[in-house]
Amino acid sequence: MAFDCDAHGVYPIAPTPFHEDGRIDDESVDRLTDFYVEAGATGITVLGIMGEAPKLDQPEAIAIAARFIRRARGLPIVVGVSAPGFAAMRSLTRAVMDAGAAGVMIAPPPSLRTDDQIVTYYRQAVEAIGTDVPFVIQDYPMTLTVIMTPGVIRRIVMENPSCVMLKHEDWPGLEKISALRGFERDGSLRHISILCGNGGLFLDFEMERGADGAMTGYAFPDMLADVVRESRAGRRDAAHDLFDAHLPLIRYEQQPGTGLAVRKYVMMRRGILGSDAQRKPGAGLPAAAKVEVEYLLSRVSRVDARAAMPVGARA
Amino acid sequence: MAFDCDAHGVYPIAPTPFHEDGRIDDESVDRLTDFYVEAGATGITVLGIMGEAPKLDQPEAIAIAARFIRRARGLPIVVGVSAPGFAAMRSLTRAVMDAGAAGVMIAPPPSLRTDDQIVTYYRQAVEAIGTDVPFVIQDYPMTLTVIMTPGVIRRIVMENPSCVMLKHEDWPGLEKISALRGFERDGSLRHISILCGNGGLFLDFEMERGADGAMTGYAFPDMLADVVRESRAGRRDAAHDLFDAHLPLIRYEQQPGTGLAVRKYVMMRRGILGSDAQRKPGAGLPAAAKVEVEYLLSRVSRVDARAAMPVGARA
Amino acid sequence: MAFDCDAHGVYPIAPTPFHEDGRIDDESVDRLTDFYVEAGATGITVLGIMGEAPKLDQPEAIAIAARFIRRARGLPIVVGVSAPGFAAMRSLTRAVMDAGAAGVMIAPPPSLRTDDQIVTYYRQAVEAIGTDVPFVIQDYPMTLTVIMTPGVIRRIVMENPSCVMLKHEDWPGLEKISALRGFERDGSLRHISILCGNGGLFLDFEMERGADGAMTGYAFPDMLADVVRESRAGRRDAAHDLFDAHLPLIRYEQQPGTGLAVRKYVMMRRGILGSDAQRKPGAGLPAAAKVEVEYLLSRVSRVDARAAMPVGARA
Amino acid sequence: MAFDCDAHGVYPIAPTPFHEDGRIDDESVDRLTDFYVEAGATGITVLGIMGEAPKLDQPEAIAIAARFIRRARGLPIVVGVSAPGFAAMRSLTRAVMDAGAAGVMIAPPPSLRTDDQIVTYYRQAVEAIGTDVPFVIQDYPMTLTVIMTPGVIRRIVMENPSCVMLKHEDWPGLEKISALRGFERDGSLRHISILCGNGGLFLDFEMERGADGAMTGYAFPDMLADVVRESRAGRRDAAHDLFDAHLPLIRYEQQPGTGLAVRKYVMMRRGILGSDAQRKPGAGLPAAAKVEVEYLLSRVSRVDARAAMPVGARA
């Protein structure tokens, strides 16, 4: 499926796999990519906030993105290029687009406050990366402290034809999806794809409000793909039943500050990552939390067998 | 049960009931109080953030607290007295203690940053309200942006003998509970009660980490009381089973900015509040959200019959 | 002079005088009011942020405002009524308007982010206090973290006929004054008075950009009045000469967190306040700072004799 | 003079010179370096916040630092290496140290809140860059929102022997200098150099409190060097007289958000920079501001002839 305004399904936010000593774990990158393809992903997002992008220097970032791109054999790869300034954003964008990326994702810097500041920022960012590079707006106020009204998002979309997608992770955000889809219906906004983040915590209802899928890093993207499929097929109760079985773990993984440790631990436990190591200042999962995660997995496995066993060998 | 360092169970955060025109709804205050008593609450917290305390002027605040106190017939009432300055905090504290409150709750103002600033703030607050007034520390960084380490909480507790309880709603917070209970075991911290907030979103594991119960406003305090009881009795699976059945709704109610509208709507739907009205700038629940909440209630009711019907007549 | 859209001159931000033990010092309130009248003030603003308003409970706040009003014999008194909620804002506004205040000043709460949130806030505030109460917008992003573009201020002014004045203390802010006066010239904004804050730090150029005067608490309002007069009369160099002589002290007094201690100390030293006491968490001026202030006063006094001696006896 | 714990004098914060089209202006880098040497600087700080460091990509940053280093012929060059993560900080540090930098400057990221978070951050940063690289702590709460108490600074200094200097730009900050020097006297803190920022706005008194000089970008570093010399020689009045003559311009240049435009304009006007261009999102000086700056320069030139004419030819 193409990365464009009609994209739907699941774009997992890929974690960046590290060895215990902090080096990048290339084998796990490959295994992770294969896993996403098999899990039914319609794209992959790399170098997001939860991909520990700020902990990489630029040569590392380019190398990782390129490896995902080569391995994904055609699945569109979106690369997070948020940076403190436009020069670094441009050089990273050019490098990954040259390597075959489908597009980039841009988050607003936390200093932005007024509507005009936000709109101007995206205008200048597009000018920096080039108007031919498809991009995703990341709307994530809980972490970024930047609040974009539906009207501001409309201004950005209408002003920049290269905008193809919104990564929606406002919170609360259900009314925002409805507002944007309402703008489309009244003709004031062209159609864009909306994929939702926030660890999937509201995916059940986001789909019903008009979202096209998920862009998030929950450790069971295969489950997210199922929920999106069931929901798009109109099987509401089935979608909620599966979602609710995972919700205790989704919620546990969604804790700010510790969520990535949970996610990497579960993905290691599933045989996808070779290690749950993070680069500093990240920290591993405390012992008590591991026991809790195991308990949660055992409960999820009563409904979803994928929680019970590794998806592959780790050799 | 007394409001002291050994308190446990559930202290619901009471919403403040309003009529549609913004006047205080005294009948609903009474009905709400009766409901809490029957639901198994061991105390009630009034005039919290979710009690719309900042929207009341001080005479209103005192009148509401006094009405809860009179109606609760002995159940301890804790009153939120957070204020922009110590003079208002003192005058409100004196008024509600004279009216029979069991103690007060104090949140740190968002401007505090350093460890010493936080410790000094609580010292001066205690000096203002009087060292004989039992108080609760509210530790709620997601909303207040003040981060208290376990070490800072220990300093506040050890320096102020009138501190009897921590309202714990850090996020993530499980390790914090473990750290504080560890301090008790190593003798560096005296025992205090820990009740947890955050809408109950982590109550299942908070209990297992050493919390004594919940202080939160989820629309089913009766369920919270059951979970606390099961957990304290060591019936782990039973506690999780009940909790997980409510989790989709707990999660929905926990959305910042819209959670109170959900909560008041459900409590109106349960026959406890006469209206779900909020004072401005609060807003009611959008139509689409009401439909979603009804769907969630219908799903919860498959496991918990309390979600299916009103708890009482509404005149 | 009336408090209306054509107001100009100097509205000092009055400190609230306390005795050493924290009680309000009524005699100093009277002396301070008399001093302002003699200093050439065209109005007085009480209960501002630098008036320690958050440290007063509401009965105290009303009593202080009323005392200023009675003593000022006709000079318009503007009262800061910013509050955590609209109920407290309304009850304070009604009380002080009944007592003879000329109008009120409203600052936006720090939680506001988007343009629409700010405009909505002022609409609801005006609804709460009554459309017949003249009010001042306080635009003070350095402390309040709320950024109002010139366009947002225009929306507030045009939507609320009772808005008569902007207290301008954006920083940098010179272009904002030019933009607002430009809006007036192009007919998109009705005329309002603009008085400037920030301790007077930019008053010299603010006047030249179109401001009508100062609303700030610098310890020499008599000097501010002279600068405004010289500037309005077109005596540019004279205005700057006087201003520059005071600038080392203005700058020293403008330090966030310690400025009020400097201000109260100098006003005590001038014989206007009986004490430089602040209520907690405020603190007095450290010994080293007192010596520095004395040195600065001695240097100012080479140009402006008012810096050399008390303006009046202190009982 | 060496860059070590005994460093004093003036380390100008160098702006990064751009051509109008955004390319780096190497000739101006050379001219600027020569100017600093002649102006009496004892070191130069490049790639600071006011050096537009976030607007450069890493190869550009390294190239600029290397050019300053080569041109300075022995004057120590400190390089700002603050970065979103430790990998980028490390690779930039290694590159510039290899190129001959004397040390680096590290600012805390805005997300840090508690004392322990700040101390841990510096420990991990030193681990990343290497314990053999001399570094400066940048303490700049107004922009970074991170508040370091004197006690926290002491912990960082005592824990990391490679810390040689504090760039002090807390505000208010005079008492902080006194507190740190007091720690040295009581033996709890080893001696480090303290150079002050904030555009020089408080340099007069900072010197008297125990600072060793200035590290700031005011467009007249030659004047800063004179003030530091006079102050160190005990000629208090002379230091203040010179400082006060510049204060109206210092204050004008110190406006957040517009200060760099003023600074670059004045340095262009002095013949040091070929252009006052900034990279986006920076903006040039508005026409009205230029007139104001010219007026300020003309007034400064009555006391300090350097404000009257270019320091050198411009091609």
Side-chain angles (χ1 to χ4, degrees):
Chain A
M1 175 183 287
F3 171 68
D4 59 23
C5 296
D6 296 312
H8 55 82
V10 177
Y11 277 57
I13 298 283
T16 296
F18 295 109
H19 290 291
E20 294 294 331
D21 61 5
R23 283 176 306 117
I24 291 158
D25 175 358
D26 285 330
E27 285 182 31
S28 287
V29 170
D30 292 347
R31 196 164 39 219
L32 182 61
T33 313
D34 296 346
F35 166 70
Y36 286 145
V37 172
E38 289 154 28
T42 48
I44 305 174
T45 304
V46 303
L47 304 183
I49 296 171
M50 284 299 143
E52 298 178 70
K55 301 178 189 170
L56 307 171
D57 66 14
Q58 200 172 98
E60 290 177 325
I62 294 168
I64 290 172
R67 192 166 187 108
F68 273 106
I69 291 165
R70 282 194 306 273
R71 186 78 178 191
R73 267 162 274 174
L75 207 62
I77 304 291
V78 173
V79 181
V81 295
S82 304
F86 294 131
M89 184 187 291
R90 176 174 43 216
S91 61
L92 178 56
T93 297
R94 288 186 176 168
V96 298
M97 293 305 291
D98 286 348
V104 301
M105 181 161 70
I106 300 172
S111 56
L112 301 181
R113 285 287 170 268
T114 72
D115 291 4
D116 287 347
Q117 285 174 337
I118 299 167
V119 172
T120 301
Y121 181 81
Y122 275 95
R123 184 186 310 132
Q124 294 182 336
V126 167
E127 193 182 301
I129 64 171
T131 55
D132 57 329
V133 177
F135 76 97
V136 182
I137 302 168
Q138 185 173 15
D139 180 22
Y140 190 17
M142 189 169 68
T143 288
L144 301 169
T145 76
V146 177
I147 300 185
M148 305 189 201
T149 62
V152 161
I153 292 170
R154 179 170 54 186
R155 286 172 63 188
I156 298 169
V157 172
M158 297 308 283
E159 203 177 88
N160 300 287
S162 53
C163 177
V164 300
M165 186 183 282
L166 174 70
K167 181 180 184 197
H168 167 280
E169 42 193 339
D170 197 353
W171 190 16
L174 296 174
E175 294 303 316
K176 185 177 254 184
I177 298 172
S178 296
L180 291 169
R181 292 311 189 204
F183 287 165
E184 290 186 23
R185 279 192 302 276
D186 74 22
S188 65
L189 176 65
R190 64 183 173 82
H191 179 73
I192 55 165
S193 172
I194 300 179
L195 300 187
C196 297
N198 270 324
L201 198 60
F202 295 94
L203 183 60
D204 48 349
F205 290 111
E206 287 162 344
M207 290 304 299
E208 301 177 7
R209 291 293 187 110
D212 297 300
M215 183 187 281
T216 193
Y218 179 55
F220 288 84
D222 28 4
M223 183 283 291
L224 298 175
D226 292 347
V227 167
V228 169
R229 189 185 319 108
E230 295 295 308
S231 186
R232 286 172 59 93
R235 290 186 288 272
R236 187 185 202 192
D237 289 346
H240 280 274
D241 287 346
L242 178 56
F243 180 85
D244 287 358
H246 277 265
L247 186 54
L249 181 57
I250 291 174
R251 169 245 8 201
Y252 197 95
E253 194 190 285
Q254 181 59 1
Q255 298 175 78
T258 204
L260 182 60
V262 175
R263 182 175 296 171
K264 284 192 150 182
Y265 175 80
V266 175
M267 296 183 91
M268 177 181 70
R269 172 83 173 58
R270 294 190 77 189
I272 305 160
L273 299 182
S275 160
D276 65 348
Q278 293 180 47
R279 282 194 176 170
K280 290 182 184 177
L285 204 56
K290 283 183 187 167
V291 174
E292 290 164 347
V293 170
E294 291 293 337
Y295 180 68
L296 286 166
L297 284 169
S298 75
R299 289 177 62 87
V300 174
S301 70
R302 298 177 309 178
V303 172
D304 186 342
R306 289 174 293 210
M309 66 193 67
V311 292
R314 280 171 35 204
Chain B
M1 176 184 286
F3 171 68
D4 59 24
C5 295
D6 295 312
H8 54 80
V10 177
Y11 277 57
I13 297 284
T16 296
F18 295 108
H19 290 291
E20 293 294 331
D21 60 6
R23 283 176 305 117
I24 291 158
D25 175 357
D26 285 330
E27 285 181 31
S28 287
V29 170
D30 292 346
R31 196 165 38 220
L32 182 61
T33 313
D34 295 347
F35 166 70
Y36 286 145
V37 172
E38 289 154 27
T42 48
I44 305 174
T45 303
V46 303
L47 304 183
I49 296 171
M50 284 299 144
E52 297 178 74
K55 300 178 189 169
L56 307 171
D57 65 15
Q58 200 173 96
E60 289 177 325
I62 295 167
I64 290 172
R67 191 166 188 110
F68 273 106
I69 292 165
R70 281 195 307 272
R71 186 77 178 191
R73 267 162 275 172
L75 207 63
I77 305 292
V78 172
V79 182
V81 295
S82 303
F86 294 131
M89 184 187 290
R90 177 174 42 217
S91 61
L92 178 57
T93 297
R94 287 187 176 166
V96 299
M97 293 305 289
D98 285 349
V104 301
M105 182 160 71
I106 300 172
S111 57
L112 301 181
R113 285 289 169 269
T114 72
D115 292 3
D116 287 347
Q117 285 174 337
I118 299 167
V119 171
T120 301
Y121 182 81
Y122 276 94
R123 184 185 310 130
Q124 293 183 336
V126 167
E127 194 181 301
I129 64 172
T131 55
D132 57 328
V133 176
F135 76 96
V136 182
I137 302 168
Q138 184 174 16
D139 180 21
Y140 190 19
M142 189 169 67
T143 289
L144 301 168
T145 75
V146 177
I147 300 185
M148 304 189 202
T149 62
V152 160
I153 293 170
R154 179 169 55 185
R155 286 173 64 189
I156 298 169
V157 172
M158 297 308 282
E159 203 177 89
N160 300 286
S162 53
C163 177
V164 299
M165 186 183 281
L166 174 69
K167 181 179 184 198
H168 167 280
E169 44 193 338
D170 198 352
W171 191 16
L174 296 174
E175 293 302 316
K176 185 177 255 183
I177 298 172
S178 296
L180 291 169
R181 292 312 190 202
F183 287 164
E184 291 187 23
R185 279 194 301 277
D186 73 22
S188 66
L189 176 65
R190 64 181 174 83
H191 179 73
I192 56 164
S193 172
I194 299 180
L195 300 188
C196 297
N198 271 323
L201 198 60
F202 296 94
L203 184 61
D204 48 350
F205 289 111
E206 288 162 343
M207 290 304 298
E208 301 177 8
R209 291 292 187 110
D212 297 300
M215 184 187 280
T216 193
Y218 179 54
F220 289 84
D222 26 6
M223 183 282 291
L224 299 175
D226 291 348
V227 168
V228 169
R229 190 184 320 108
E230 295 294 308
S231 186
R232 286 171 60 93
R235 290 187 288 270
R236 188 185 202 191
D237 289 345
H240 280 274
D241 287 345
L242 178 57
F243 180 84
D244 287 357
H246 277 265
L247 186 54
L249 181 57
I250 290 174
R251 170 249 0 207
Y252 196 95
E253 194 191 284
Q254 181 59 0
Q255 297 174 78
T258 203
L260 183 59
V262 175
R263 182 174 296 170
K264 283 193 149 182
Y265 175 79
V266 175
M267 296 184 91
M268 178 182 71
R269 171 84 174 56
R270 294 190 78 189
I272 304 161
L273 298 182
S275 160
D276 65 349
Q278 292 181 47
R279 282 194 175 170
K280 290 183 183 174
L285 203 57
K290 283 183 188 168
V291 174
E292 290 164 347
V293 170
E294 291 293 337
Y295 180 68
L296 286 166
L297 285 169
S298 75
R299 289 177 64 85
V300 174
S301 71
R302 298 177 309 179
V303 172
D304 187 342
R306 288 174 294 211
M309 66 193 67
V311 292
R314 277 174 37 205
Chain C
M1 176 183 288
F3 171 68
D4 58 24
C5 296
D6 296 312
H8 54 81
V10 177
Y11 277 57
I13 297 283
T16 296
F18 295 108
H19 289 292
E20 293 294 330
D21 61 5
R23 283 176 305 117
I24 292 157
D25 175 358
D26 284 330
E27 284 181 32
S28 286
V29 171
D30 292 347
R31 196 164 39 221
L32 181 61
T33 312
D34 296 347
F35 166 70
Y36 286 145
V37 171
E38 288 155 29
T42 48
I44 305 174
T45 303
V46 303
L47 304 183
I49 296 172
M50 284 299 144
E52 298 179 71
K55 300 178 189 170
L56 306 171
D57 65 15
Q58 200 173 99
E60 289 177 325
I62 294 167
I64 289 172
R67 191 164 187 111
F68 273 106
I69 291 165
R70 280 195 307 273
R71 187 77 178 192
R73 267 162 274 174
L75 207 62
I77 305 291
V78 173
V79 182
V81 295
S82 303
F86 294 131
M89 185 187 290
R90 176 173 43 215
S91 61
L92 178 57
T93 297
R94 287 187 177 168
V96 298
M97 293 305 290
D98 285 349
V104 300
M105 181 161 71
I106 300 172
S111 56
L112 301 181
R113 285 289 170 268
T114 72
D115 292 3
D116 287 347
Q117 285 174 337
I118 299 167
V119 171
T120 300
Y121 181 80
Y122 275 95
R123 184 184 311 131
Q124 294 182 337
V126 168
E127 193 181 301
I129 64 172
T131 55
D132 58 328
V133 177
F135 77 95
V136 182
I137 301 169
Q138 185 173 15
D139 180 22
Y140 190 18
M142 188 169 69
T143 289
L144 301 169
T145 75
V146 177
I147 300 185
M148 304 188 202
T149 61
V152 160
I153 292 170
R154 178 170 54 186
R155 285 173 65 189
I156 298 169
V157 172
M158 297 309 283
E159 203 177 88
N160 300 286
S162 52
C163 177
V164 300
M165 186 183 281
L166 174 70
K167 181 179 184 197
H168 167 280
E169 43 193 339
D170 198 352
W171 191 18
L174 295 174
E175 294 302 317
K176 185 177 253 183
I177 298 173
S178 295
L180 291 169
R181 291 312 190 204
F183 287 164
E184 291 186 23
R185 279 193 301 277
D186 74 22
S188 66
L189 176 65
R190 64 182 173 83
H191 179 73
I192 55 165
S193 172
I194 300 179
L195 301 188
C196 296
N198 271 324
L201 198 60
F202 296 94
L203 183 60
D204 47 350
F205 289 111
E206 287 163 343
M207 290 304 300
E208 301 177 8
R209 292 292 187 110
D212 298 299
M215 183 187 282
T216 193
Y218 179 55
F220 288 84
D222 27 4
M223 183 283 290
L224 298 175
D226 291 348
V227 168
V228 169
R229 189 184 321 108
E230 295 295 308
S231 186
R232 287 172 59 93
R235 290 187 288 270
R236 187 184 203 193
D237 289 346
H240 281 274
D241 287 346
L242 178 57
F243 180 85
D244 287 358
H246 278 264
L247 186 55
L249 181 57
I250 291 174
R251 168 245 7 201
Y252 197 95
E253 194 191 285
Q254 181 59 0
Q255 297 174 78
T258 204
L260 182 59
V262 176
R263 182 173 296 170
K264 284 193 150 182
Y265 176 80
V266 175
M267 296 184 91
M268 178 182 70
R269 171 85 174 54
R270 295 190 76 190
I272 304 160
L273 298 182
S275 161
D276 65 349
Q278 293 181 46
R279 282 194 175 170
K280 289 183 184 176
L285 204 56
K290 282 183 188 169
V291 174
E292 290 165 347
V293 170
E294 291 293 337
Y295 180 67
L296 286 166
L297 285 170
S298 76
R299 290 178 62 86
V300 174
S301 70
R302 297 176 309 180
V303 172
D304 186 342
R306 289 175 292 211
M309 65 193 66
V311 292
R314 280 182 26 213
Chain D
M1 175 183 289
F3 171 68
D4 59 22
C5 296
D6 295 312
H8 54 82
V10 177
Y11 278 57
I13 297 284
T16 296
F18 295 109
H19 291 290
E20 293 294 331
D21 61 5
R23 283 177 306 117
I24 291 158
D25 175 358
D26 284 331
E27 284 181 31
S28 286
V29 171
D30 292 347
R31 196 164 39 221
L32 181 61
T33 313
D34 296 346
F35 166 70
Y36 286 145
V37 172
E38 289 155 27
T42 49
I44 305 175
T45 304
V46 304
L47 304 184
I49 296 172
M50 284 300 143
E52 298 178 71
K55 300 178 190 170
L56 307 170
D57 66 14
Q58 200 172 100
E60 289 177 325
I62 295 167
I64 290 173
R67 192 167 187 109
F68 272 106
I69 291 165
R70 281 194 308 272
R71 187 76 177 192
R73 267 162 272 173
L75 207 62
I77 304 291
V78 173
V79 182
V81 295
S82 303
F86 294 131
M89 185 186 291
R90 176 175 43 217
S91 60
L92 178 55
T93 297
R94 286 186 178 167
V96 299
M97 293 304 290
D98 285 349
V104 300
M105 181 161 71
I106 300 172
S111 57
L112 301 181
R113 286 288 170 267
T114 72
D115 291 4
D116 287 348
Q117 285 174 338
I118 300 166
V119 171
T120 300
Y121 182 82
Y122 275 95
R123 184 185 311 131
Q124 294 183 336
V126 168
E127 194 182 300
I129 64 171
T131 56
D132 57 329
V133 177
F135 76 96
V136 182
I137 302 169
Q138 184 174 15
D139 180 21
Y140 190 17
M142 190 169 68
T143 289
L144 301 169
T145 75
V146 177
I147 301 185
M148 304 188 201
T149 62
V152 160
I153 293 169
R154 178 169 55 185
R155 286 173 64 189
I156 298 169
V157 171
M158 296 308 283
E159 202 177 88
N160 300 287
S162 53
C163 177
V164 299
M165 186 184 281
L166 173 69
K167 181 179 184 198
H168 167 281
E169 43 192 337
D170 197 354
W171 191 16
L174 296 174
E175 294 302 316
K176 185 177 254 183
I177 298 172
S178 296
L180 291 169
R181 291 314 189 200
F183 287 163
E184 291 186 22
R185 279 192 301 277
D186 73 23
S188 64
L189 176 66
R190 64 182 174 82
H191 178 72
I192 56 166
S193 172
I194 299 178
L195 300 188
C196 297
N198 271 323
L201 198 59
F202 295 94
L203 183 60
D204 48 350
F205 290 111
E206 288 162 343
M207 290 304 298
E208 301 178 7
R209 292 293 187 110
D212 298 300
M215 183 187 280
T216 193
Y218 179 54
F220 289 83
D222 27 4
M223 182 283 291
L224 298 175
D226 292 347
V227 167
V228 169
R229 189 184 320 108
E230 296 294 308
S231 186
R232 287 171 59 92
R235 291 186 288 270
R236 186 184 203 191
D237 289 345
H240 281 274
D241 286 346
L242 178 57
F243 179 85
D244 287 357
H246 277 265
L247 186 54
L249 181 58
I250 291 175
R251 169 246 5 202
Y252 196 95
E253 194 191 285
Q254 181 60 1
Q255 298 174 78
T258 204
L260 182 59
V262 175
R263 181 174 295 170
K264 284 193 150 182
Y265 175 80
V266 175
M267 295 183 92
M268 177 182 70
R269 171 84 173 58
R270 295 189 78 188
I272 305 160
L273 299 182
S275 160
D276 65 348
Q278 292 181 46
R279 282 196 175 166
K280 289 183 183 176
L285 204 56
K290 282 182 188 168
V291 174
E292 290 165 347
V293 169
E294 291 293 338
Y295 180 68
L296 286 166
L297 285 169
S298 75
R299 289 177 63 86
V300 174
S301 70
R302 298 177 309 179
V303 172
D304 186 342
R306 290 174 293 211
M309 65 193 67
V311 293
R314 277 176 36 206

